[in-house]
Structure formats: C-alpha cells, structure tokens
Amino acid sequence: AHKIEDTDPRHLEDLRDYIYFSVQDVFNHLKVNKAEDDAAATISIHQAADLIYNKSEGKFVYTAVVVEQMRDWFEGDLSWADFQANLESLPQGLDDCYHKTFKNFIDSNLDYGRNFLLLMVGCREPLTEATVKDLLQIPYGRLHQFVLLKESAATVFPLVGVGEHAARFKPYHKSIVDWLTNKNRNIRDSTNRRDSTCFDLEEASWFITDKLMKKVGIKDVQTVQALDRLKIKLTLEMNTKEDPTLIYAVRHLPSHLNSCQLGLVTYFLMTNLTWLQLSLEVMGLAGLIESYSKLLQNDEWLPEPCRGDLMKDVKLMSQFLKLLAMTKVDDAMNWRATICTQITARLAKTAAS
C-alpha cells in the first residue's frame, strides 16, 4: 500500500478541507450567537479552520478530537469574543491535545475516571458498557456518575453499538492507548509529581485481573499453600450468554493471569472441569482448542520446579478436546462426560504422585 507522509501536499490539502467542513458542520448545527449575521459567521469559520490547521501539526485525529470539544462549547450562549478565546486556548499538536483531554477527563471523573482508563488500557478486547459498569463496581445510587463518565469519554473512547450488553468502548484512534502507556513522555504537573495521564501496563493488568478473579470467585492467590486449597466457585446457574463480563473472563482471564505471573492459577483454571464446561459454552470447541494451543506454545507461564508435570496435564486436556472434535457422535454430552471422567482420574493420579 502506498504511504502518504504527513508533510505530503496532498495530505495537507485533504486535512485543510476536512477541517473546514468539520468546523462548518459545527456552525451549521449549533448556535453561536443569534445576533451575528451569515457574513460574520463565515469569517469566523475560516478563522477557526486556519487556527486548527496550524495547531494540528498535520494530524487528522487532532481535528476530530478538537471539533468534538468545540461542540461542547455551544451548549450555552457563546459570544464571538469567548469563542475566539477558546480557539486560542486549543492545545498545540496531538500530544498536548491528548494530555489536556485526559487530564480534564480524570479531573472531572475523580471517583471512576482513572480506573476506567486502566480498564481501557488493560483489556484484551473492547469492553461492553455492562462489563465496564460491572468491573468499576458502580452502585445503583451513583449510576448518574457513570452517565457523565460515558459522555466525557465520548471523544476518545466512544461507545459503538446499541444496548449496554452490545455497545463497546472503543478507542477513537489506535494512537490513544499507545499514548496513555508511553512512559517516555515524562510530563510533570505543577507539584512535580508523575503525570496522572501516564498509565503503567503492569498496573492495568493487575487491576483488571483482580476484578475478573473476583467475578469468577477466585480468592487469595498470594501463596502456593493457598493455591493448593483453591476452590473455584463458578456460578453455572448464571447464563453466560447474558453476562458479558463472565464471557470476557472465560475468553481472556488466562491471558491476564499470565501477564501478572499467576500461571499456577491459569493451570488450575485450565484443568478445572467447571471452567471447561463454561469455556465450551462461551467459545465452542474450536475456540477452546485454540486457547489450549496458545498455552502449549511455550511453558514459561508455568512456575518452576513443577513446570514439566503441569504442562503434561495441559497437553492432556488439549488432546482430549481434539479427540472430541474428531469424533462424530449424536450425543456429544456423553463424550464430554467420558472425557471429564478420564481427566479427573489422570489429575488425581498426578496429585497423588
């Protein structure tokens, strides 16, 4: 594919046109000042477009974010003087634009803003509205704060889709998550503390992993002794098709656990028959086989010195699932019961040895 550089005249011409029509759209649909005539509005459109172009540093995404912010200016009456002052205060370049946008987002959502961004940074796939609400643990009496959070996040993490179980928060541009996790920005606030808009991937991984473990009932995984006594209380009565958080957990919890060096918990899950049943319901047989295949690519996620023995059990689970996939029988549930019986016997033998 042909790549067009930011400095390419064709790119800059397209950008200037995009800015002009975007600004014009704002002026056409939103009230600026009833007393101004069309001529004055036209002049201001050109002024706004020129200023945004000069500050965009050749980035389309800068314009998209800034234009959405401009729409918020017009919720009340705004004089031309105030409008001009707001234009002059627009950030210079994409980096400054992101910094001001996320700083304002966190400051205006003190209770849930930073945790929301931790979820956005740490998730393996875009999260549904219902899942975000669930993982943030927002009580019913404070749902109005979640509504405000969604509105203020719309320019950078808009909801795409309809309904809280289907609509997902997706980054407006792929550069957003990269910017949030870029430790080389070294931006300091007025008190010389680390910039609040900079997020650590390890912190994000631990945050979402902890929430997901609680969702499926895993508690106290700080010691091997605790893991030896681990009883995973999975709620099979819960209809997974109606619980997007549980669906996400089944798909991605092993990956999150491994990123937090909790491979032994991953092992307990992947050799747990209740988890196997849930996984079959959520991912289907083909998807479950693929998830085991990824784990078998290397054994570094498992702890020493029992890595070899634990990997044998994971391979055994994978082999049984592949056998099920190759077997054509009318009653698949009987096959699952047979496989589960064999797996139980094998794991019991391993534990005894």
Side-chain angles (χ1 to χ4, degrees), residues 36-103:
E36 300 293 340
D37 56 25
D38 291 340
T42 301
I43 293 173
S44 291
I45 289 174
H46 284 287
Q47 289 176 340
D50 289 342
L51 190 143
I52 293 173
Y53 176 81
N54 292 331
K55 291 196 172 191
S56 70
E57 298 180 351
K59 305 293 185 184
F60 271 85
V61 66
Y62 172 93
T63 302
V65 174
V66 164
V67 167
E68 286 303 314
Q69 293 175 353
M70 285 176 59
R71 296 182 190 277
D72 294 337
W73 298 350
F74 295 98
E75 290 185 357
D77 290 331
L78 191 74
S79 69
W80 286 114
D82 289 337
F83 175 72
Q84 185 67 30
N86 284 354
L87 283 176
E88 296 292 343
S89 67
L90 285 174
Q92 178 66 44
L94 188 59
D95 190 68
D96 192 29
C97 178
Y98 280 163
H99 182 257
K100 289 185 176 179
T101 298
F102 286 110
K103 184 70 166 58

Side-chain angles (χ1 to χ4, degrees), residues 104 129 185 319 327:
N104 290 337
E129 179 180 352
R185 289 190 279 121
Q319 291 168 358
T327 305

Side-chain angles (χ1 to χ4, degrees), residues 215-219 231-235:
K215 176 69 178 179
V216 300
I218 300 176
K219 299 178 181 179
K231 300 295 182 183
I232 303 174
K233 299 170 63 178
L234 298 169
T235 310

Side-chain angles (χ1 to χ4, degrees), residues 2-258:
H2 179 64
K3 183 179 180 180
I4 299 179
E5 301 293 338
D6 289 347
T7 55
D8 190 304
R10 294 169 297 173
H11 168 81
L12 295 177
E13 183 179 355
D14 289 343
L15 176 62
R16 187 179 288 277
D17 289 340
Y18 173 70
I19 291 173
Y20 178 81
F21 288 118
S22 296
V23 173
Q24 186 179 47
D25 180 67
V26 173
F27 276 61
N28 287 342
H29 290 86
L30 299 169
K31 178 177 60 178
V32 180
N33 190 311
K34 295 180 181 179
E36 300 293 340
D37 56 25
D38 291 340
T42 301
I43 293 173
S44 291
I45 289 174
H46 284 287
Q47 289 176 340
D50 289 342
L51 190 143
I52 293 173
Y53 176 81
N54 292 331
K55 291 196 172 191
S56 70
E57 298 180 351
K59 305 293 185 184
F60 271 85
V61 66
Y62 172 93
T63 302
V65 174
V66 164
V67 167
E68 286 303 314
Q69 293 175 353
M70 285 176 59
R71 296 182 190 277
D72 294 337
W73 298 350
F74 295 98
E75 290 185 357
D77 290 331
L78 191 74
S79 69
W80 286 114
D82 289 337
F83 175 72
Q84 185 67 30
N86 284 354
L87 283 176
E88 296 292 343
S89 67
L90 285 174
Q92 178 66 44
L94 188 59
D95 190 68
D96 192 29
C97 178
Y98 280 163
H99 182 257
K100 289 185 176 179
T101 298
F102 286 110
K103 184 70 166 58
N104 290 337
F105 174 78
I106 293 171
D107 290 345
S108 60
N109 296 277
L110 292 176
D111 291 331
Y112 302 107
R114 182 168 177 79
N115 287 347
F116 171 84
L117 293 177
L118 282 172
L119 292 178
M120 297 299 102
V121 168
C123 63
R124 297 292 189 265
E125 66 178 49
L127 301 176
T128 67
E129 179 180 352
T131 296
V132 170
K133 190 189 304 180
D134 188 5
L135 296 180
L136 290 180
Q137 297 177 311
I138 300 177
Y140 181 80
R142 304 180 74 178
L143 288 180
H144 65 284
Q145 290 186 316
F146 186 66
V147 173
L148 296 176
L149 183 146
K150 289 190 298 181
E151 293 175 352
S152 57
T155 58
V156 282
F157 286 101
L159 269 173
V160 180
V162 179
E164 69 171 12
H165 284 201
R168 296 177 181 271
F169 288 98
K170 295 187 176 183
Y172 186 84
H173 191 266
K174 62 183 181 181
S175 64
I176 289 176
V177 173
D178 292 338
W179 187 89
L180 286 169
T181 56
N182 181 7
K183 295 182 179 180
N184 296 322
R185 289 190 279 121
N186 291 325
I187 301 174
R188 302 277 175 170
D189 62 16
S190 58
T191 61
N192 201 36
R193 292 179 299 181
R194 184 170 181 80
D195 177 28
S196 62
T197 66
C198 187
F199 289 80
D200 182 74
L201 279 174
E202 184 177 351
E203 178 190 3
S205 294
W206 272 104
F207 179 78
I208 193 169
T209 301
D210 178 67
K211 300 294 184 183
L212 293 174
M213 286 195 297
K214 290 178 180 177
K215 176 69 178 179
V216 300
I218 300 176
K219 299 178 181 179
D220 188 11
V221 294
Q222 301 304 313
T223 65
V224 174
Q225 290 76 16
L227 285 170
D228 287 341
R229 301 189 300 269
L230 180 63
K231 300 295 182 183
I232 303 174
K233 299 170 63 178
L234 298 169
T235 310
L236 284 179
E237 293 79 9
M238 186 181 302
N239 188 340
T240 56
K241 294 181 180 179
E242 296 181 359
D243 191 333
T245 309
L246 186 59
I247 291 174
Y248 180 91
V250 171
R251 287 176 178 167
H252 301 293
L253 182 53
S255 172
H256 283 295
L257 289 167
N258 291 346

Side-chain angles (χ1 to χ4, degrees), residues 332-348:
M333 289 304 298
N334 285 340
W335 267 99
R336 292 179 188 177
T338 302
I339 288 174
C340 289
T341 300
Q342 296 182 49
I343 291 173
T344 301
R346 168 72 174 87
L347 296 182

